Every structure is written in structure tokens, then in C-alpha cells.
Amino acid sequence: MYLRKPLIAAAAVAAIAAPAALAHRMWLLPSSTTLSGTDNWVTVDAAVSNDLFYFDHQPLRAVPAVTQPDGSEGKVENHSVGRYRATFDVHLTQQGTYRVAVVNQGVFGSYKLNGETKMLPRGTTTATLAVAIPAGATDVQTSESFARNEIFVTQGAPTGTVFKPTGKGLELVPVTHPNDLVAGEAATFQFLLNGKPGANLYVTAIPGGSRYRDALKQMDLRTDAQGKVSVTWPEPGMYWLNVTPNAPRIDGEGPGAGGARSPGAGQRPAGSTGGAMPRGPRVSYTTTLEVLAP
Amino acid sequence: MQIRLTGLTAAAIGAGSLFPAAAGAQTLNLSIDIPRLRVAEYHKPYVAVWLEKQSATPHTLSVWYDVDKRGGEGTKWLRDIRQWWRTSGRGMTFPADGVSGATRAPGTQKLQLVAGRGAMPRLTPGEYTLVVEAAREVGGREMVRIPFSWNGKAASGTRAGSTELGTVTFTLKR
């Protein structure tokens, strides 16, 4: 945990905005990723939970953005937030690959005013940070986050329009198309961090169905100098994939423990607010990948 | 013969550049046993037949599915013939002339394809694999692969499936 104790409470409330730093996993689970025909619907479960992919903790409330194969914006339909999960539908009318994405950008933190520690309000961004911290505040501590969580769904043959990088946060560039995965085959993805190849990123892949087995079967991988990582899928099914520049913190080191830090952690993007900022930006990428049987 | 062979259009699709034209009317006779299954809910399987050749794009010969469903709804489950869908199907448009056909009942189903007509390309000598894959609604899925060498004169092969397909036999002659 990178956050100090008072922040943990706040982060727990704002679980959807800080998935990577918490034990809970945020996920989008589509009903299908590979479709034939010309007029299909895909329904998606969106939740935050420990076990994959069981909705038993919190819904992922944000309304995602849909990008259609031709690059235009698509529509989220029938969005509904339940106690444990949100669901929504996407109507597929084009041939090719769709992207459904939830991007959370924010700043967490605290400051002292008149001897009292105050939390930054939820929903604070780098743009509103200056306003959020009142004049006279001291001991300002902030931690930025840029969490991208997206899934891909293909009707007909896979296409590449939706993978055009924006240069912000962590992004996936396919070497292997994420809707063309088969058990026993190696798939390669490239990850970009702010538009540049993200070297030495920590990549975690966990197969779904974790409730019904003892071992997590987590695969821990690193990207190479080109930001590429190769994953060989041991079995068919849905996989949760998470990428972050930050080394996984070993439990028990305690809050704020030094420990080994990844090269990316501690570096702050240009233009971020100065001051006493002990934390690196918390950037993460999450996707759900369907691996088919051979 | 339930496959629609519609002459020139089909020939245009069938005559892929990866199988350059050769003289002679090559004829493929294919026999596919669809097993009769004692199950509570039976639907005739979706079946795809295709040819693979080393370092060439796989070539779909025939696909049996619910061609007549309203609004092309039968195409929704084509992806369940999953190896074929990945290998060839997802790049095609349906219905495909000379390729699309109705599903077939249990029993021995025959198919005759003549090179240059319908979906059948003219084969140049080389190593091929004939593949038949069946996927059944509320049922299973199976694929039978029959590798063969085509010397330009004659080839044949037989393989048996174990669940969704019975014996698959072909002869290829010119």
C-alpha cells in the first residue's frame, strides 16, 4: 500500500478510482468477445471484487466509453448499477473491433490546515488540485492515479482502429490481437506509458474461476525494453490482466515502507503540482481477455 | 445437393490466387458421417469444410448452417465452429455463394465439388489438409483433419471423429 493510513479509508470508499493500489480487482466482463454475424449485442458486467470474476463486493459505477471499429463513439445502453455489479449493453452494428473503456484520472491526498488533517475531496483531478487545496495549507501530500480499464470485442474479423494510442497513461498496442487468443499459444502485447514503450512494467495475468480452486494461478511477467510482453495461456477461459510500473508491494512491509521501488515509481510527470509528494503516480492498465480453446 | 452453386460469382470467390489455376477438372468427392445422437435436445450441427495448404490462406469449401433464418440470424453462431471461424470464416461475408448451405441431418452426407466451380479452387501439387469441423447447438464440437499430398492425379483419405463427427472420407481426382 502506497498510501498512508488516513488515505486508506478514503481510498476504500473510492474503490473504483484506485483499483491498482488495493487488493480488490476492478473488471469488465463481456458476454462474448468473438462474434459472427452483423447485428449482435454484448452485455458486460462491471464490478470490483477479490475473486475473479465474481461480483460480490462493489459495482464499477462509471459509465464506460465505447469506441466503434470506424473510430466513432458508440453507445452504452441499459446501464444499470446494482448492489454488487453494474451491467450494460453494447449494440454491435459494425464489423471489426470495439473498445469499451473506463478511464479514471484523479488525485488523492491530504493537507494540514490549522493543525487539522483534511482529505482532498473525491473527484479531485490535476486540473482542480490548485483549487482543492486552500490557501495556508501545509503538509500537502498527493498521489495521482491514471487507471485505464478496457475490454475489446470483435464482430467479424479483428481490426486495429481502436488501438490508436492517445499518449496518456498505460495503453495496449496489439502484436497479437486481444480477440485472437488461443490456449497453448503465445500472445504478445506492447504497452505504452504516456505514448512511449513501457519497459520493465509489471504484468499480472490471472485466470477467472478463482473461487473454485486453491491456487491463484497468477502469472507474473515483465515487459522488455520495447514494452512487450509475451503470455502463453495455459488454458482457455477469461483472464484478468493488469499492468503497472509499480512493483507489487510485499504485504507486511507496512505503510510507507521503503522497500524496492520500480524505476517508474517516484518519477512524476511534468506539470504536476510540486510540494511534499512522496508518492509516484499510480498508473495502471487492466483488461479482461478471452482465451479460446484450440 | 443443398449447396447453392451459382456459377460465375462463386467461381470468382473460389478461384483464390493462392491456388493458381491448373488444367483439368479436379473433382472432390466428400462423404461426411453425421452421427445420430440420443440426446434430449438435438439440433443438426453447423459444419465447415475447408482446405489448408502450407503457407497459403486457408480456403473454405462449404459451410452448413441455418441459412434461412430471418435477418441472417443463423450467422450468429458461425463463430462456434471456432477453428474455422478463426482460420477463414471471420474474413468472409454470409451468405457466401457456393459455400453456404443448410444444415444436414444425421447420416452419410455427400458433397461433390469440381475445381473452378463453386468454392472449389484448382489445386496445384503440394501438401494439403482437408478439415471438417462440426459444432452443435447445446452439444459439442469436433474437428477432423485429413492431411494429403496432391500429385495432380489422385488422392484420398479417411479419418473418423469420435463425438460430433463420424467417418470423413474423400477422393480427389482429375
Side-chain angles (χ1 to χ4, degrees), chain A residues 240-258:
Chain A
W240 185 80
L241 189 98
N242 181 261
V243 183
T244 166
N246 307 319
R249 194 188 64 84
I250 306 304
D251 210 20
E253 284 185 359

Side-chain angles (χ1 to χ4, degrees), chain B residues 51-62:
Chain B
L51 266 182
E52 292 179 3
K53 187 189 185 185
Q54 267 185 354
S55 63
T57 307
H59 194 96
T60 300
L61 298 177
S62 197

Side-chain angles (χ1 to χ4, degrees), chain A residues 57-187:
Chain A
H57 181 58
Q58 289 290 331
L60 199 170
R61 291 186 171 81
V63 179
V66 175
T67 309
Q68 304 190 101
D70 67 0
S72 64
E73 194 183 328
K75 224 165 76 179
V76 165
E77 300 194 45
N78 304 321
H79 190 264
S80 159
V81 180
R83 175 62 186 84
Y84 285 152
R85 67 168 161 175
T87 69
F88 57 89
D89 301 332
V90 181
H91 188 188
L92 313 179
T93 53
Q94 298 182 12
Q95 292 288 297
T97 301
Y98 284 72
R99 179 185 61 207
V100 178
V102 174
V103 176
N104 279 305
Q105 259 182 291
V107 182
F108 299 93
S110 65
Y111 55 85
K112 267 189 180 166
L113 190 62
N114 305 325
E116 226 182 312
T117 301
K118 303 258 190 191
M119 307 303 299
L120 281 174
R122 272 184 75 179
T124 302
T125 65
T126 44
T128 62
L129 186 59
V131 185
I133 300 170
T138 56
D139 298 313
V140 177
Q141 295 203 19
T142 63
S143 176
E144 284 170 47
S145 72
F146 193 108
R148 172 175 275 115
N149 189 337
E150 61 189 16
I151 52 167
F152 304 98
V153 166
T154 296
Q155 177 167 260
T159 55
T161 322
V162 298
F163 299 101
K164 196 167 173 272
T166 63
K168 280 188 184 170
L170 273 167
E171 292 175 283
L172 180 148
V173 176
V175 177
T176 306
H177 194 287
N179 292 145
D180 195 19
L181 309 178
V182 173
E185 290 183 10

Side-chain angles (χ1 to χ4, degrees), chain B residues 139-160:
Chain B
R141 169 261 176 207
E142 187 172 33
M143 181 167 70
V144 168
R145 301 176 59 88
I146 314 176
F148 67 95
S149 295
W150 174 240
N151 57 11
K153 293 189 177 71
S156 65
T158 297
R159 287 282 160 92

Side-chain angles (χ1 to χ4, degrees), chain A residues 47-68:
Chain A
V48 182
S49 73
N50 282 340
D51 277 348
L52 298 165
F53 293 93
Y54 305 100
F55 31 83
D56 57 6
H57 181 58
Q58 289 290 331
L60 199 170
R61 291 186 171 81
V63 179
V66 175
T67 309
Q68 304 190 101

Side-chain angles (χ1 to χ4, degrees), chain A residues 32 34-38 40 156-158 179-182 185 292-294, chain B residues 71-72 75-80 82-83 85-86 90-92 94 141 143:
Chain A
S32 284
T34 303
L35 300 105
S36 53
T38 53
N40 285 284
N179 292 145
D180 195 19
L181 309 178
V182 173
E185 290 183 10
L292 298 179
Chain B
T75 59
K76 182 174 177 182
W77 306 108
L78 284 175
R79 58 107 193 256
D80 287 351
R82 62 169 186 265
Q83 271 308 315
W85 181 250
R86 186 186 193 214
R90 69 190 184 187
M92 298 171 69
F94 289 89
R141 169 261 176 207
M143 181 167 70

